[in-house]
Amino acid sequence: MTPHPGAPPGEGVLAALAAEHRGRLMALAREVTLPGGTRIFEEGESADLFWIIRSGTVALDVHVPGRGREVVETVGAGSLLGWSWLCPPRQWHLAAETRDPVRAWEFDAAAVRDLCAEDTALGLSLVTAVAETIGDRLRATRTRLLDLYGPPGPQGSGPVP
């Protein structure tokens, strides 16, 4: 559920929800604006918020020992930013930084989990959309790591010496 940067806001996690569920979720949203270069969260921190990006782009990065931060994916309009809030231990698995000014809807994770417990149909729809996002992020991370560390040459996707 990760539209390409610049995708229309109608795509992504919100489009995956029925209108009634979307309305109930959006009742919990708070509009935020984040300047470019803002570190939104860091690996290992408590994941108590998440965002749906309305405009702008956010780089997801991971700390690689000896190399520093490596960007594994960039997400934009319509994308869910953050899924670690859903499952224990509720800590960020990646870090995130705005590439340019970002407008987003921000959600309190505990309130959304409570809503999902109260409305199980909404909960199933949202968990399904989040699971799709997790799959997208894992594929992107795998591809990026293969680019960084894969064997060189035509068989691998790593750098050629």
Side-chain angles (χ1 to χ4, degrees):
M1 237 351 81
T2 307
H4 297 290
E11 296 181 14
V13 70
L14 290 177
L17 301 177
E20 176 188 339
H21 295 156
R22 189 170 43 251
R24 293 196 69 199
L25 178 65
M26 291 307 295
L28 300 177
R30 182 174 78 96
E31 289 190 48
V32 296
T33 302
L34 305 168
T38 301
R39 294 296 286 176
I40 301 171
F41 53 82
E42 299 290 342
E43 285 180 78
E45 289 181 345
S46 178
D48 52 3
L49 298 171
F50 69 93
W51 302 261
I52 296 174
I53 300 172
R54 298 180 63 204
S55 66
T57 55
V58 176
L60 300 174
D61 61 61
V62 61
H63 178 75
V64 178
R67 293 180 71 123
R69 294 182 186 136
E70 293 285 347
V71 173
V72 294
E73 187 175 10
T74 302
V75 297
S79 295
L80 173 67
L81 177 60
W83 55 264
S84 301
W85 59 274
L86 189 58
C87 303
R90 298 190 173 98
Q91 293 179 325
W92 297 118
H93 297 277
L94 298 171
E97 182 174 331
T98 58
R99 286 285 170 105
D100 43 38
V102 167
R103 290 177 39 233
W105 288 298
E106 182 178 80
F107 297 86
D108 176 88
V112 173
R113 286 192 305 269
D114 289 346
L115 176 63
C116 290
E118 172 189 314
D119 183 339
T120 56
L122 183 156
L124 177 60
S125 295
L126 185 58
V127 166
T128 300
V130 171
E132 195 173 319
T133 297
I134 293 168
D136 290 346
R137 301 279 158 76
L138 288 173
R139 283 186 291 279
T141 300
R142 179 182 183 277
T143 299
R144 181 68 178 134
L145 290 174
L146 285 172
D147 286 343
L148 290 171
Y149 300 110
Q155 317 85 310
S157 57
V160 177

